[in-house]
Amino acid sequence: MQAVIPFPELSPEIFSISLFGMEFALRWYALAYIAGLLLGWRLVVALMKRPALWPQNRAPMQPRQVEDLLTWVILGVVIGGRLGFVLFYKPGHYLSNPGEILAVWQGGMSFHGGLIGVVIATWLWTGKHAIARMSAADALAMAAPLGLFFGRLANFINGELWGRPSDVAWAMKFPTMCVDPGWQGCPVPGEWFYYGNEIARHPSQLYEAALEGLVLGAVLLWLALRRGALKRPGIVAGCFFAGYGIARFIVEYFRQADAQFITPENPIGFVIGQGAIGVTMGQLLSLPMILLGLALIAHARRRPPTPA
C-alpha cells in the first residue's frame, strides 16, 4: 500500500552551530517543549488578569508569580519525565546501565512521569507561597494541552511513537533517520531513508495531538470561559486528568506498543492480557488518571460555587 499522507522527512535538528569545537543544535523536540511552556505561561498569566473567572473574583496568583512557578514546572517536567521513562518502560536496562539515566539527549521521556513531577513541584511551590492548590492546579491544567499538542507534533516530525500497522486511507510509512553511514543501507548521516519493507501505519502522533491537545484544550477553555468552572476549584483539573486519560486510552488502540513489551507470543505489546484482549502500559498508566479526574470532579461538584 502506498501512503496517502507523505512523511515530511524534516530533520530532527532545526539548525546547528559549532562553537569552540562543540556542536550545538536546536531540535524540534526541544522547540516543542519551549513553545508549550512559553505559550502555557502566557495563557496562565492572561487568566490571572481576569479575576472574575476565579473564586471570590480574585485570581489565586499574581501574574509575576506565574513566572516563578514556571521554573518549578520545568524542573518537574524534565526530572519527572525522565525518571518516569526509566521506571515505567526500561527499568532493567537502566538498572544495568545507571550512567545512561541522565542522558536525556538520547531520548526517552514519559508524559505520566512528567505529570507526576509537575504535581509534586506545584504542591511544594504552592505550599511555600500559601497559594490555593486546587486553583493553581486548574490554571496549569488549562495550559497543559498546549504542551501536549506541540509535543505530539514533534513526535510526528521525529518519526517516533508511530501507530500500529493499518490499511486505512491515511496510513503512512515512517522512514528511519540515518545515523551510521553504511549501516543497513544508511546513505548519509542526518537524512531519512527507507529499508524498502516498511509497513503502512496509523499516524497516531497526529491522533494524540488532536485529542490530547486541540479537543481537550477546547473543552477546558469552554468550561473556564463559558461555564465558570474555575470558580469551583478542581473541576478543570479533574476534567484534564480524566480527559487526557480517556484520550490516551483510546489512542493506545492505534499506537504501536513499546518494543520491550512486544514478543512473538504478545505481538500487540500488552502488559496485562494476551491475544486480542489486554491492556498496554499506556492504558494502564492512564486508568489512575481517569479515576483521579473523576474523583476531583465529584469532590468539586459537592461543594457549592464560591460566592462572588
Side-chain angles (χ1 to χ4, degrees):
M1 171 180 173
Q2 190 171 12
V4 174
I5 304 177
F7 185 75
E9 297 189 22
L10 296 174
S11 171
E13 294 184 1
I14 302 173
F15 67 84
S16 62
I17 57 174
S18 297
L19 291 175
F20 310 109
M22 299 182 66
E23 194 78 14
F24 298 90
L26 176 62
R27 295 175 173 269
W28 287 105
Y29 206 70
L31 183 62
Y33 269 84
I34 294 170
L37 288 168
L38 290 181
L39 291 176
W41 166 49
R42 296 310 305 169
L43 174 60
V44 174
V45 168
L47 292 172
M48 295 305 148
K49 292 180 178 180
R50 299 184 63 176
L53 295 174
W54 301 93
Q56 299 180 340
N57 291 337
R58 186 170 57 193
M61 290 180 279
Q62 297 297 320
R64 57 179 175 77
Q65 291 179 302
V66 178
E67 184 174 352
D68 185 29
L69 175 58
L70 177 65
T71 303
W72 288 62
V73 168
I74 292 172
L75 291 174
V77 167
V78 175
I79 296 173
R82 184 59 175 176
L83 293 180
F85 179 80
V86 169
L87 296 174
F88 298 151
Y89 292 95
K90 291 188 175 181
H93 172 80
Y94 288 104
L95 185 63
S96 302
N97 304 276
E100 295 183 15
I101 293 177
L102 299 179
V104 294
W105 56 88
Q106 296 179 0
M109 296 285 282
S110 163
F111 169 78
H112 297 91
L115 180 62
I116 292 172
V118 170
V119 169
I120 294 173
T122 303
W123 182 272
L124 294 174
W125 185 87
T126 51
K128 177 182 178 181
H129 296 278
I131 302 293
R133 285 190 167 117
M134 286 313 307
S135 288
D138 287 340
L140 292 180
M142 294 289 298
L146 285 167
L148 289 167
F149 175 72
F150 287 110
R152 295 311 182 192
L153 290 183
N155 292 148
F156 178 73
I157 292 173
N158 286 349
E160 61 189 5
L161 304 182
W162 53 58
R164 299 182 186 181
S166 173
D167 59 359
V168 296
W170 54 89
M172 65 186 307
K173 296 179 180 180
F174 290 90
T176 300
M177 172 60 67
C178 177
V179 178
D180 181 14
W183 173 75
Q184 296 188 20
C186 175
V188 180
E191 293 186 2
W192 295 103
F193 73 103
Y194 293 85
Y195 293 106
N197 59 347
E198 288 81 8
I199 300 173
R201 298 176 177 275
H202 284 286
S204 57
Q205 313 97 320
L206 300 182
Y207 301 172
E208 292 188 85
L211 287 178
E212 301 167 6
L214 298 179
V215 174
L216 183 55
V219 169
L220 297 185
L221 283 172
W222 176 74
L223 287 172
L225 301 180
R226 299 297 182 186
R227 304 297 295 177
L230 291 173
K231 286 189 175 294
R232 287 189 172 187
I235 288 283
V236 171
C239 287
F240 168 75
F241 280 112
Y244 174 83
I246 292 170
R248 179 65 182 271
F249 198 94
I250 293 171
V251 173
E252 283 288 318
Y253 286 110
F254 306 96
R255 174 172 158 168
Q256 181 77 355
D258 294 274
Q260 62 268 28
F261 300 121
I262 299 176
T263 64
E265 298 76 24
N266 183 24
I268 299 181
F270 292 136
V271 294
I272 299 177
Q274 57 184 352
I277 301 176
V279 177
T280 67
M281 177 58 79
Q283 290 174 323
L284 186 64
L285 295 174
S286 295
L287 288 174
M289 292 188 64
I290 296 172
L291 295 176
L292 174 60
L294 294 176
L296 288 173
I297 294 170
H299 177 72
R301 286 179 61 85
R302 282 199 298 268
R303 300 172 58 185
T306 305

